Amino acid sequence: MQDDPLLSVRDLSVRFHTEAGTVHAASDVSFDVDRGETVCIVGESGSGKTVTSEAITRLVPQPPGEIDAESVDFEGEDLLTLPEKRLRTLRGGSIGHVFQNPQSTLNPVYTVGRQVVEAVRLHRDVSKAEAREIAVDLLDRVGIPKAGERFDDYPHEFSGGQTQRVVIAIAIAGEPDLLIADEPTTALDVTIQAQILRLLRDIQDEFGMGILLITHDLGVVAEVADRVVVMYAGKVMEQGSVFDVFENPSHPYTKALLECLPGRRNAAEGIGGTLPDPTDPPDGCRFAPRCPHAVDACREGDQPPAVNVDGADDHVASCVYYQAGYDATVVQNAGVAVATDDADDDTARTDGGERDD
Ligand code: SF4
């Protein structure tokens, strides 16, 4: 019998009630993360990746946010209905978070060592002296050279890559079963980025934890993912194993994203067009205004349901062309020219996904 997933998210939606209207940041998002597995959520800026990851442990402030879901099951507990006290125990304990922008995660007026010790003592019943020993060991394991000597240094005395390592040390201080890492390498140069990704893999091997990694960078996905969830405008467009998604991308949006990889056709221009207004998403498929294959049925009702695309159980896409009566080869075999939402400007483009969500 197959084990239950470590994390199982079903129909998670996040809305923000603002003066400009209700922002539909994430809608009906479903995915699993198994033990020892890395699942990447990928998509452009504004696709709802970060808000989805933060809603899992109810870090989205309510109000103005509003989270609902069929369930967000973590090791048999529904995170959306857990009492706040129990949830606080899980956050930083069984569920570690690495947030965007490591410098803002650390408190500049406390030494790095003190901050790691605090994280250790919050989740482990150890003395101050033991916590210090564990903290030095954690800093050593994440690759801070001469960790004992750097213990009393302040965050500003660490480089960007080292700061990210410290943040990871804090995130794993509670020996988590699940690590949620939001763009952990965005601000780093490619060499440091590769080191941090390798570090996450090593820690995963050591702890056997599941990792949910949020990124706009398909290069990072190719590097670390076991499974991929492709999001656009708050909806899941496609998900499957990293092999399925890279070898047989099936949703027009996934294909468009892949064409933005370095050396590919749209590497310089990015995806044409812009994301829809999140306060007024289009009927039907949210990608329809930018999709070159859109037909009338794409603009009716809700996002098409996720259906199996190639016989692989867990490879699904939300596109009408995979429904009965349509010829899936139209999108499967197609190139990736993307319609723009401005007929006079076929060079319109997004920001290429470089901004935070
Ligand atoms: S063909 Fe229709 S349903 Fe499929 S991605 Fe394009 S707009 Fe969406």
Side-chain angles (χ1 to χ4, degrees):
M1 203 181 78
Q2 217 181 346
D3 287 344
D4 287 338
L6 174 67
L7 174 73
S8 179
V9 176
R10 289 291 170 272
D11 289 333
L12 175 67
S13 296
V14 185
R15 294 175 283 276
F16 292 95
H17 301 290
T18 71
E19 283 181 8
T22 299
V23 173
H24 299 271
S27 305
D28 308 312
V29 176
S30 298
F31 61 88
D32 293 338
V33 181
D34 288 330
R35 289 166 182 79
E37 178 185 53
T38 299
V39 174
C40 287
I41 302 183
V42 67
E44 290 166 283
S45 170
S47 60
K49 315 179 295 290
T50 291
V51 91
T52 297
S53 71
E54 293 184 349
I56 288 168
T57 52
R58 304 205 318 249
L59 286 171
V60 172
Q62 301 181 83
E66 182 189 347
I67 306 170
D68 66 60
E70 184 187 315
S71 62
V72 178
D73 187 285
F74 174 71
E75 295 186 318
E77 295 183 282
D78 188 349
L79 299 181
L80 286 200
T81 55
L82 273 188
E84 185 60 33
K85 192 173 171 202
R86 171 71 185 140
L87 198 58
R88 270 205 301 273
T89 309
L90 291 180
R91 287 189 204 121
S94 300
I95 305 176
H97 275 275
V98 177
F99 297 102
Q100 290 183 22
N101 191 355
Q103 285 291 356
S104 68
T105 303
L106 297 176
N107 189 328
V109 302
Y110 294 130
T111 65
V112 156
R114 176 176 168 165
Q115 296 183 60
V116 183
V117 164
E118 271 176 10
V120 171
R121 295 199 76 195
L122 205 58
H123 299 285
R124 299 198 216 179
D125 187 18
V126 292
S127 70
K128 224 171 174 180
E130 286 168 327
R132 182 184 169 103
E133 234 173 79
I134 293 169
V136 172
D137 181 52
L138 280 169
L139 289 171
D140 185 53
R141 272 151 80 183
V142 298
I144 300 294
K146 299 182 181 162
E149 292 174 28
R150 302 296 311 274
F151 193 84
D152 292 318
D153 287 349
Y154 288 86
H156 73 267
E157 297 175 273
F158 286 73
S159 68
Q162 287 176 335
T163 306
Q164 189 58 290
R165 287 168 189 270
V166 172
V167 168
I168 291 170
I170 289 173
I172 63 170
E175 300 184 309
D177 296 317
L178 173 68
L179 185 71
I180 300 175
D182 188 359
E183 302 277 11
T185 58
T186 297
L188 306 173
D189 71 47
V190 285
T191 311
I192 307 296
Q193 175 174 306
Q195 289 172 4
I196 296 292
L197 293 177
R198 204 173 315 122
L199 170 65
L200 287 174
R201 260 203 312 269
D202 291 347
I203 294 169
Q204 184 176 43
D205 288 346
E206 193 178 338
F207 288 86
M209 64 192 179
I211 295 180
L212 179 64
L213 194 139
I214 311 305
T215 182
H216 68 272
D217 186 339
L218 278 167
V220 169
V221 176
E223 194 69 23
V224 300
D226 295 303
R227 278 194 292 139
V228 186
V229 178
V230 181
M231 283 188 72
Y232 178 78
K235 290 274 190 182
V236 174
M237 296 288 138
E238 179 168 355
Q239 62 176 303
S241 72
V242 68
F243 181 82
D244 287 336
V245 170
F246 276 78
E247 289 299 312
N248 183 22
S250 299
H251 194 282
Y253 178 61
T254 310
K255 285 170 172 263
L257 269 185
L258 285 166
E259 282 305 321
C260 296
L261 280 169
R264 299 276 184 93
R265 187 189 334 189
N266 294 331
E269 290 79 15
I271 301 175
T274 52
L275 277 95
D277 178 353
T279 64
D280 186 23
D283 286 341
C285 176
R286 292 198 181 168
F287 191 54
R290 301 167 84 182
C291 181
H293 310 295
V295 292
D296 288 349
C298 303
R299 303 184 186 90
E300 295 165 1
D302 202 353
Q303 184 70 37
V307 294
N308 182 283
V309 292
D310 56 8
D313 271 355
D314 60 354
H315 187 195
V316 296
S318 300
C319 174
V320 294
Y321 278 92
Y322 296 99
Q323 294 178 350
Y326 289 88
D327 178 6
T329 59
V330 170
V331 291
Q332 280 172 328
N333 300 337
V336 293
V338 174
T340 69
D341 48 11
D342 179 348
D344 297 327
D345 176 13
D346 64 4
T347 61
R349 49 171 294 188
T350 68
D351 61 2
E354 295 304 322
R355 239 180 21 232
D356 296 343
D357 267 23

